[in-house]
């Protein structure tokens, strides 16, 4: 089968399309004929070796973290799915493998695809949708009366986060360029700051929390927007000790490393009496089923920037890395 394989850590040339064996499903696993797979920043960060301190992969390895397709075979112990089911999944972080014509995924990480979506749109949901859902529900506690700042609302995670925050009843502010303003307002943003003309921290204040999707200067400036006792939650900043202890299985050595790496952000937060937290989402078939229900009910829209053939995955990554994508970038394996 064709797969997009990481052969070494580095730039775009470090990964290539090549032929690899079709995987065999183990106990409680499904083999899925992949019809489409979503691209995410974690993919090119993995390729570049930026996440090696957290998770080092044996090379070569098939890249890719989310997919949609049809169940082709079931391993021993599978009870909830059968061949022919249309499914989507955020695959196991330790295994990856979504950028291939076939992938084996644990049953617990899989859900039935939303009936309203085709494979390309379904493949755009798992990683970004789960990140938005878990960040808002479990960390920021989005609910009526809470005011949340979500910079980068036109991006892959942002388009889900804006909608879900509004569904939870929160008031939401975001940043956008003039090109993205109409999109984020349609998705529910109450306040939109044009980041090409204004510094958001000069017009926003006293928010209960910020969900940083951008990192860098945007993250550090977000502390000024959040009131005392609030939380700055990031998926693009530096992991902090709780990341290693809560999200990565109690890795105390890694917690010490993150304590040093995140010191600047934690000091900034302490100065303003604001907590800082880095989020590692966890794959969950149950949470995916929740997202599928929302999509089929018509309350959650999937925003696609572009869908490209699998053979052009290199060009798709170049577009994603340019930072110009509005919504998700997807590769299609089956026409």
């Amino acid at each position: 089968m064709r797969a997009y394989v990481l052969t070494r850590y580095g730039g775009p040339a470090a990964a290539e399309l090549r032929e690899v064996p079709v995987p065999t499903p183990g106990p409680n696993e499904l083999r899925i004929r992949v019809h489409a797979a979503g691209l995410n920043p974690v993919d090119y960060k993995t390729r570049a070796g930026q996440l090696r301190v957290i998770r080092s992969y044996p090379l070569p390895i098939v890249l890719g973290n989310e997919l949609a397709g049809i169940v082709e075979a079931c391993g021993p112990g599978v009870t909830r799915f059968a061949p022919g089911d249309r499914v989507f999944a955020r695959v196991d972080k330790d295994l990856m493998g979504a950028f291939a014509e076939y992938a084996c995924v644990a049953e617990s990480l899989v859900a039935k695809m939303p009936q309203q979506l085709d494979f390309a749109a379904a493949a755009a949901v798992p990683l970004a949708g789960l990140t938005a859902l878990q960040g808002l529900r479990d960390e920021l506690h989005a609910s009526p009366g809470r005011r949340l700042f979500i910079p980068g609302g036109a991006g892959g995670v942002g388009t889900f986060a804006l909608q879900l925050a509004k569904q939870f009843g929160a008031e939401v502010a975001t940043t956008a360029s003039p090109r993205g303003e109409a999109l984020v307002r349609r998705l529910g943003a109450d306040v939109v700051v044009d980041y090409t003309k204004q510094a958001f921290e000069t017009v926003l204040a006293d928010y209960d929390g910020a969900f940083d999707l951008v990192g860098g200067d945007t993250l550090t400036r977000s502390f000024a927007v959040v009131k005392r006792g609030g939380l700055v939650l990031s998926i693009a900043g530096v992991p902090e000790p709780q990341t290693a202890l809560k999200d990565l299985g109690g890795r105390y050595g890694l917690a010490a490393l993150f304590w040093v790496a995140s010191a600047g952000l934690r000091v900034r937060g302490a100065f303003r009496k604001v907590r800082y937290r880095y989020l590692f989402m966890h794959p969950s078939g149950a949470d995916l089923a929740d997202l599928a229900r929302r999509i089929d009910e018509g309350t959650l829209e999937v925003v696609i920037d572009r869908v490209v053939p699998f053979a052009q995955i290199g060009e798709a990554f170049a577009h994603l890395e340019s930072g110009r994508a509005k919504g998700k970038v997807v590769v299609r394996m089956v026409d």
Side-chain angles (χ1 to χ4, degrees):
M1 67 172 186
R2 282 193 310 165
Y4 192 57
V5 179
L6 179 66
T7 60
R8 55 185 171 82
Y9 291 108
E16 63 183 33
L17 282 169
R18 60 164 61 174
E19 291 292 320
V20 301
V22 174
T24 300
N28 304 306
E29 286 187 340
L30 311 171
R31 182 166 68 219
I32 299 169
R33 174 67 168 102
V34 181
H35 283 237
L39 277 60
N40 297 278
V42 68
D43 299 313
Y44 60 74
K45 291 178 181 178
T46 298
R47 185 200 68 207
Q50 296 177 19
L51 306 178
R52 290 177 70 181
V53 67
I54 298 169
R55 186 173 284 107
S56 184
Y57 295 100
L59 303 181
I61 190 170
V62 179
L63 288 167
N65 285 281
E66 62 182 347
L67 57 80
I70 296 177
V71 176
E72 186 192 70
C74 299
V78 171
T79 59
R80 296 188 299 111
F81 299 95
D85 286 345
R86 291 158 48 97
V87 297
F88 64 156
R90 195 284 187 227
V91 304
D92 191 313
K93 295 180 179 182
D94 292 327
L95 302 176
M96 297 193 293
F99 295 147
E101 293 177 322
Y102 295 90
C104 288
V105 185
E107 179 183 31
S108 62
L109 308 184
V110 178
K112 295 283 185 67
M113 265 177 52
Q115 297 179 9
Q116 304 299 320
L117 298 185
D118 60 18
F119 289 106
V125 174
L127 195 147
L130 290 174
T131 299
L133 176 65
Q134 293 169 10
L136 291 164
R137 181 192 64 196
D138 303 337
E139 302 290 341
L140 288 162
H141 307 296
S143 57
R146 286 182 66 79
R147 302 172 71 233
L148 300 176
F149 173 47
I150 306 176
V157 176
T159 54
F160 288 106
L162 292 180
Q163 297 176 81
L164 289 169
K166 292 304 296 179
Q167 288 180 35
F168 288 137
E171 177 186 327
V172 183
T174 191
T175 57
S177 67
R179 188 167 70 94
E181 180 176 0
L183 171 62
V184 297
R185 287 196 183 279
R186 176 165 60 80
L187 297 178
D190 299 291
V191 179
V192 180
V193 179
D194 180 352
Y195 66 78
T196 68
K197 296 179 180 178
Q198 288 182 299
F200 60 77
E201 68 272 24
T202 65
V203 294
L204 303 176
D206 294 325
Y207 279 74
D208 295 290
F211 195 178
D212 167 57
L213 313 176
V214 181
D217 183 58
T218 297
L219 169 57
T220 56
R221 290 157 52 210
S222 293
F223 285 90
V225 172
V226 177
K227 66 184 182 183
R228 283 178 161 227
L231 171 68
V232 173
L233 179 70
S234 179
I235 63 169
V238 180
E240 35 68 47
Q242 194 176 4
T243 305
L245 300 178
K246 181 179 179 180
D247 300 335
L248 298 175
R251 297 169 63 178
Y252 288 93
L254 201 56
L257 179 63
F258 290 167
W259 186 87
V260 174
S262 65
L265 290 169
R266 289 185 293 105
V267 168
R268 181 181 294 269
F271 178 76
R272 294 185 171 273
K273 301 295 190 292
V274 172
R275 292 184 298 122
Y276 171 66
R277 173 88 166 96
Y278 184 90
L279 175 69
F280 266 102
M281 56 75 63
H282 57 273
S284 168
D287 281 352
L288 270 182
D290 181 1
L291 293 171
R293 174 185 58 79
R294 294 172 189 271
I295 292 168
D296 281 335
E297 288 174 352
T299 60
L300 188 62
E301 176 185 348
V302 181
V303 180
I304 300 290
D305 181 90
R306 63 183 57 182
V307 180
V308 302
F310 193 25
Q312 297 175 16
I313 189 171
E315 291 89 335
F317 266 114
H319 176 64
L320 180 65
E321 292 182 66
S322 75
R324 297 191 301 270
K326 303 299 181 188
K328 290 297 296 286
V329 178
V330 177
V331 292
R332 182 189 291 113
M333 283 73 166
V334 178
D335 293 329

